[in-house]
Amino acid sequence: RDITERKVTEQALKRAEEKYRSIFENSVEGIYQSTAEGRYISVNPALATILGYGSPDELVKEVGDIGKQIYVNPNRRVEFMRLLEEHGELRDFEYEALRRDGAKIWVSSNATAVRTEDGTLQHYEGTIIDVTNRKQAEGKLKELTRKVIETQEQERKRIARELHDSIGQMLSAVKFRIQSAGEKITSQKSKIWKDLSDAWTLLEQSIHEVRRVSHNLRPSILDDLGLVSAVRNMCEEFTERTQIKVKLKSSRFPRRLLPEVELS
């Protein structure tokens, strides 16, 4: 009986298995199969290394509940399973993981739910990479951004205070000097009185503009009374400036929000 075709098929399957085994063993990404109940079926050396275990067998043997032993937040395991149930696969699912020595790392997982022809779940399989360095870099970038914004706001607050307290007061003092000088002029028809009147008007406008710029740089009402009052004040100013009525609806906050949240 000619069994050439069968032998060719067997050899092709063997080569495919050897290729898969080579990828599985030598991949720098962690590769795994796990049950829905939370046990590893098989893992490669890379995953054992990522999670701090001496060998794949050691990892499979010691971890009986992935959600509690590997996930820092077990709710992320629940979310992982929910997404796989809904979509069948997921990409770039990040969570904080526990190594064997208790150290915390960040990992990113791609996973697929493997099912039988009738739709019964067999197991999960996927890959895991360590993204701790990237997450730490992102954290540093966020902290740097926060500090930049904080420094910028401190400077805006300082300038706003100087505009309001220093320049504003000097302009007000000049305005009253002009008023005092105008009261000493007996004839309102004189050119000097007209010049003083024009200067008075310009100073009034300047004082109003300084207050507006100061308020826009850093509204003191935001620091003193909070977000809702600041937004309400902004709506009232908008209505006064444009004659467009604004209706504000706001929830009653049980407490003040964080300053950076209110500022945003």
Side-chain angles (χ1 to χ4, degrees), residues 203-257:
L203 276 171
E204 281 280 307
Q205 294 173 351
S206 299
I207 292 171
H208 178 77
E209 187 65 12
V210 165
R211 288 173 178 170
R212 185 189 66 81
V213 172
S214 172
H215 180 78
N216 287 342
L217 277 171
R218 179 74 181 196
S220 58
I221 192 172
L222 180 63
D223 296 321
D224 298 336
L225 301 178
L227 178 63
V228 176
S229 296
V231 174
R232 182 177 292 109
N233 179 256
M234 185 172 68
C235 292
E236 291 171 354
E237 288 183 349
F238 179 81
T239 298
E240 182 181 351
R241 187 173 67 254
T242 65
Q243 302 305 308
I244 298 173
K245 293 184 178 180
V246 179
K247 185 175 182 181
L248 172 65
K249 292 184 178 180
S250 62
S251 300
R252 291 187 176 275
F253 296 106
R255 63 186 71 84
R256 285 288 298 270
L257 300 176

Side-chain angles (χ1 to χ4, degrees), residues 29-228:
E29 294 185 350
I31 303 175
Y32 67 91
Q33 290 181 331
S34 67
T35 66
E37 291 74 30
R39 293 193 64 89
Y40 285 117
I41 300 171
S42 65
V43 301
N44 71 338
L47 183 58
T49 300
I50 289 171
L51 296 177
Y53 290 81
S55 68
D57 289 341
E58 190 175 66
L59 175 56
V60 172
K61 182 179 179 181
E62 292 189 16
V63 176
D65 189 334
I66 295 173
K68 293 181 179 179
Q69 292 177 259
I70 301 298
Y71 283 71
V72 172
N73 180 2
N75 289 331
R76 288 294 284 166
R77 173 68 178 179
V78 176
E79 179 70 2
F80 171 88
M81 296 172 65
R82 184 187 68 78
L83 291 172
L84 281 176
E85 182 66 27
E86 289 182 4
H87 306 291
E89 64 177 10
L90 55 82
R91 294 287 179 268
D92 303 321
F93 182 83
E94 295 184 353
Y95 60 92
E96 206 170 6
L98 281 171
R99 286 170 52 88
R100 189 187 187 192
D101 60 4
K104 297 177 181 179
I105 60 173
W106 279 95
V107 299
S108 177
S109 176
N110 295 335
T112 302
V114 179
R115 300 180 181 277
T116 60
E117 290 183 0
D118 64 1
T120 303
L121 178 66
Q122 284 189 319
H123 58 268
Y124 303 133
E125 62 183 27
T127 60
I128 286 177
I129 58 173
D130 187 340
V131 295
T132 304
N133 290 337
R134 175 171 65 78
K135 295 293 286 187
Q136 289 175 343
E138 289 175 354
K140 290 179 181 178
L141 181 60
K142 287 180 180 178
E143 178 63 16
L144 177 61
T145 303
R146 187 192 66 78
K147 288 183 177 179
V148 168
I149 293 175
E150 183 179 307
T151 302
Q152 174 184 308
E153 286 306 313
Q154 288 175 351
E155 182 66 7
R156 289 165 68 96
K157 191 174 183 178
R158 182 187 66 80
I159 295 172
R161 185 172 60 249
E162 289 185 1
L163 279 173
H164 184 273
D165 296 345
S166 179
I167 297 177
Q169 288 183 3
M170 285 190 290
L171 289 174
S172 296
V174 172
K175 185 182 76 170
F176 290 123
R177 289 289 182 91
I178 290 176
Q179 182 184 21
S180 176
E183 290 173 350
K184 295 176 182 177
I185 298 175
T186 57
S187 174
Q188 294 186 0
K189 293 182 180 180
S190 70
K191 186 178 183 303
I192 296 177
W193 190 92
K194 184 178 184 306
D195 289 342
L196 287 176
S197 178
D198 291 342
W200 170 279
T201 302
L202 285 173
L203 276 171
E204 281 280 307
Q205 294 173 351
S206 299
I207 292 171
H208 178 77
E209 187 65 12
V210 165
R211 288 173 178 170
R212 185 189 66 81
V213 172
S214 172
H215 180 78
N216 287 342
L217 277 171
R218 179 74 181 196
S220 58
I221 192 172
L222 180 63
D223 296 321
D224 298 336
L225 301 178
L227 178 63
V228 176

